[in-house]
Amino acid sequence: MSEGSKGSSLAFGQVVIGPPGSGKTTYCHGMQEFMGRIGRKVTVVNLDPANEAMPYQCAVDIAELITLPDVMENLKLGPNGGLIYCMEYLEANFDWLQEKLAAFRGHYYLFDCPGQVELYTHHDALKNVFAQLAKWNFRLAAVHLVDSHYCTDPGKFISVLCTSLSTMLHVELPHVNILSKMDLIEQYGKLAFNLDYYTEVLDLSYLVDHLASDPFFRNYRRLNEKLVEVIEDYSLVSFVPLNVQDKESMRQVMQAVDKANGYSFGDQEHRSLEALMSAAVGADFHFTSTLAVQEKYVQSRDRALEEEMMDL
């Protein structure tokens, strides 16, 4: 896996990024198990120096090189400054990462990354790490996880769209945006629109109008309109809904990422995937489709309209 070697075989994988609490580690665990069931050899690489409790089988751990607690204690840095230092230290020690990854040639890689947003929007250390991996013939897609509860708050959703767009432009990798924890979205409150409005990022003027009904956001209508214009002008951001407990949802995400990074699976894996989708695979996966969430919202909205008409 020498730098610039055109003769070395390609390696495929995902860099899993997103804000704290978006479910990156859970995603890596679920995707490792799901891919393992269809015969794909998966290596999980932990690049988060603050990640201490990892549920997945970790083959390469940045903690062998540097840890956030050590940096904070020895350099008297806070958590944000410490994470930036750790990523810069990783960038300065590419040879360590190259040596560790060389032991897993032929595997599919999942890179579990830190949860500091600044690392993906304007700091260059991780971006340079990804660029170096590309020089080692890695074909990577960025999987950007966002907690689905932001859909229930129009103001936060616009903020998420801006962050996602900024990340896509800065990281410079094929990108798949994910709305995670779809199985929990109903706990956060009702959506103002159908689920596909948020996943496809449809006409955002409706979202601005909805915000204008709030006395606080009414004063910022012009600002929100301009932010929405920027998002729509680029026309890059869309989302794939994800419930890690749902095998159909995992399949859709996996195929979206495989399309993004150019991975094409062989006949044996295709047969294994068909068998997995047609048979129960144990208690780890539930079979309620994520689409049922949208259907519930549509049905509840229709019932509410019927009740309003009856009251009239």
Side-chain angles (χ1 to χ4, degrees):
M1 208 159 51
S2 60
E3 183 175 346
S5 175
K6 296 182 180 180
S8 60
S9 60
L10 294 177
F12 293 88
Q14 310 173 21
V15 292
V16 184
I17 61 180
S22 57
K24 297 183 295 297
T25 297
T26 301
Y27 171 87
C28 289
H29 184 208
M31 191 57 73
Q32 181 186 44
E33 289 191 351
F34 186 82
M35 288 182 171
R37 292 180 186 276
I38 61 174
R40 194 180 298 190
K41 295 180 180 179
V42 179
T43 293
V44 182
V45 180
N46 176 44
L47 294 184
D48 185 356
N51 199 353
E52 297 178 349
M54 294 172 287
Y56 50 72
Q57 296 179 356
C58 182
V60 180
D61 190 354
I62 192 176
E64 298 177 18
L65 178 70
I66 192 170
T67 66
L68 180 60
D70 288 343
V71 170
M72 292 174 63
E73 180 180 354
N74 295 326
L75 299 181
K76 309 303 179 184
L77 293 173
N80 290 339
L83 273 174
I84 290 176
Y85 180 88
C86 289
M87 294 302 101
E88 291 175 344
Y89 192 81
L90 174 64
E91 181 186 2
N93 288 273
F94 279 140
D95 54 342
W96 174 86
L97 184 60
Q98 183 177 20
E99 180 182 350
K100 290 292 183 180
L101 295 177
F104 301 96
R105 290 178 180 174
H107 287 212
Y108 187 96
Y109 297 84
L110 296 174
F111 293 89
D112 188 1
C113 299
Q116 187 176 354
V117 175
E118 293 87 346
L119 292 171
Y120 314 116
T121 56
H122 60 269
H123 195 267
D124 287 336
L126 263 181
K127 174 184 175 181
N128 293 337
V129 171
F130 300 155
Q132 184 63 49
L133 288 169
K135 292 179 181 179
W136 295 336
N137 282 332
F138 278 78
R139 298 297 178 261
L140 301 172
V143 177
H144 184 218
L145 270 67
V146 175
D147 198 317
S148 61
H149 87 267
Y150 291 119
C151 295
T152 61
D153 187 320
K156 290 181 180 178
F157 188 66
I158 290 178
S159 175
V160 162
L161 292 173
C162 292
T163 302
S164 298
L165 177 60
S166 178
T167 301
M168 295 176 75
L169 297 175
H170 183 73
V171 172
E172 296 180 346
L173 284 176
H175 219 86
V176 178
N177 292 303
I178 304 290
L179 284 177
S180 63
K181 306 179 185 178
M182 286 302 301
D183 52 320
L184 303 177
I185 190 172
E186 292 179 310
Q187 299 180 12
Y188 302 128
K190 291 185 178 180
L191 298 178
F193 307 99
N194 288 342
L195 185 62
D196 57 357
Y197 177 86
Y198 300 93
T199 57
E200 299 301 325
V201 190
L202 301 176
D203 190 348
L204 294 177
S205 62
Y206 292 103
L207 205 62
V208 175
D209 292 338
H210 188 76
L211 269 174
S213 63
D214 187 313
F216 177 80
F217 287 105
R218 190 178 303 140
N219 298 326
Y220 301 97
R221 182 185 180 100
R222 184 67 175 161
L223 173 62
N224 287 321
E225 286 176 345
K226 290 302 180 182
L227 290 174
V228 163
E229 285 180 15
V230 171
I231 296 164
E232 291 183 331
D233 285 347
Y234 277 95
S235 190
L236 290 175
V237 184
S238 62
F239 295 93
V240 180
L242 171 65
N243 173 6
V244 176
Q245 302 296 329
D246 178 12
K247 64 178 181 179
E248 175 61 25
S249 179
M250 292 290 284
R251 181 186 68 84
Q252 291 176 357
V253 170
M254 184 188 72
Q255 291 182 336
V257 177
D258 285 349
K259 183 178 179 181
N261 65 14
Y263 181 90
S264 59
F265 46 76
D267 292 339
Q268 180 59 45
E269 182 174 312
H270 182 65
R271 288 193 296 269
S272 299
L273 179 60
E274 289 181 341
L276 174 64
M277 299 309 298
S278 62
V281 293
D284 291 339
F285 295 94
H286 303 303
F287 307 134
T288 303
S289 173
T290 305
L291 293 177
V293 175
Q294 181 178 355
E295 292 173 0
K296 285 184 179 180
Y297 276 108
V298 173
Q299 292 170 1
S300 62
R301 184 190 60 182
D302 291 343
R303 283 196 299 270
L305 289 174
E306 289 176 2
E307 292 174 358
E308 290 179 4
M309 294 299 294
M310 291 178 65
D311 292 339
L312 293 175

